[in-house]
Amino acid sequence: VITIPKTEETIRLERQIYSATQKMGVFGCFEVTIGWYGKERVDYITYDTKNIWRCYEIKVSVSDFRSKAHNTFCGHYNYYVMTRDLFEKVKDEIPSHIGVYVDGTSVKRAKKQELTVDIEILKNSLIRSLSRETEKIHKSENPNFVDMMNRRLNKETREKEKYRNQYWDLLTEVHEKYGANWKSG
């Protein structure tokens, strides 16, 4: 399987839809392959405690939106996730039953559909994909890497601010002692 690196825009849209769907009783995963050895993959799927499935296809360009690549809309509710600019360009091409999220906000409601895939296949697909994500974390050399990097970033930010303040204090002291034109002579 050839993996194409995700664009920054794709990653940004993923973060937005993840944030928009994180609620108590909602479980989601990215890149869920439907069925054993399935050929269909949902960019992001959620399942909730009311047994509702939602599928999200992330689109970053007009050519991506119009591509012949299959949109895996097999949920009760199905959505495109895109930028405002892209939505304005393709809104008349979006089927009436498909919803749209723009910048993490629902701008077009999806209409409820019958599932096109057996519920057990969806559950098994979600479980396999969640297991894959857990395995990635545990196989990494340091499962706490993100926490460690966030702590390091916070420390570096505090240190930068401390040195910035020291610089301005010193510059003020130099200006007071030697005047504002101290460099020229």
Side-chain angles (χ1 to χ4, degrees):
V1 175
I2 298 172
T3 305
I4 299 170
K6 294 179 182 178
T7 65
E8 286 183 36
E9 188 69 16
T10 299
I11 293 167
R12 187 178 71 78
L13 291 172
E14 284 181 346
R15 287 185 179 137
Q16 288 175 346
I17 197 60
Y18 180 81
S19 293
T21 59
Q22 285 308 292
K23 298 174 184 133
M24 181 82 76
V26 177
F27 314 97
C29 190
F30 289 98
E31 298 178 9
V32 175
T33 301
I34 305 301
W36 290 102
Y37 311 106
K39 293 182 181 177
E40 294 187 46
R41 179 175 277 186
V42 179
D43 288 339
Y44 183 63
I45 194 168
T46 64
Y47 173 70
D48 66 30
T49 54
K50 296 177 182 170
N51 298 316
I52 299 295
W53 292 90
R54 289 178 172 84
C55 297
Y56 304 83
E57 288 292 330
I58 297 170
K59 301 297 177 186
V60 295
S61 67
V62 173
S63 61
D64 184 21
F65 178 82
R66 292 180 180 154
S67 81
K68 299 298 180 199
H70 187 72
N71 291 315
T72 304
F73 287 136
C74 57
H76 292 108
Y77 296 94
N78 300 288
Y79 303 87
Y80 282 115
V81 178
M82 58 183 61
T83 64
R84 167 86 43 211
D85 184 50
L86 179 57
F87 176 64
E88 292 302 325
K89 291 176 183 174
V90 301
K91 64 184 172 186
D92 295 333
E93 301 173 50
I94 299 170
S96 63
H97 63 285
I98 304 294
V100 179
Y101 272 82
V102 170
D103 299 325
T105 303
S106 175
V107 296
K108 181 178 181 282
R109 292 179 60 123
K111 295 178 184 166
K112 190 170 184 181
Q113 305 292 303
E114 292 297 318
L115 292 178
T116 59
V117 175
D118 182 74
I119 196 163
E120 287 303 311
I121 291 173
L122 288 174
K123 284 182 181 178
N124 289 336
S125 299
L126 179 60
I127 290 168
R128 272 195 321 277
S129 297
L130 289 169
S131 178
R132 175 199 69 221
E133 294 303 310
T134 301
E135 187 176 347
K136 283 182 192 177
I137 292 169
H138 285 288
K139 282 187 173 181
S140 72
E141 288 184 31
N142 185 353
N144 299 319
F145 182 73
V146 172
D147 290 337
M148 181 183 71
M149 293 309 291
N150 281 333
R151 283 191 298 277
R152 183 184 286 178
L153 177 63
N154 288 337
K155 180 182 176 221
E156 296 296 331
T157 301
R158 285 190 307 273
E159 203 166 298
K160 179 192 83 154
E161 190 62 29
K162 177 182 120 184
Y163 287 125
R164 183 182 168 282
N165 289 338
Q166 286 177 351
Y167 168 80
W168 285 109
D169 290 347
L170 185 58
L171 187 61
T172 301
E173 192 176 317
V174 168
H175 281 185
E176 287 173 359
K177 188 169 185 174
Y178 299 106
N181 295 326
W182 63 273
K183 281 185 180 179
S184 61

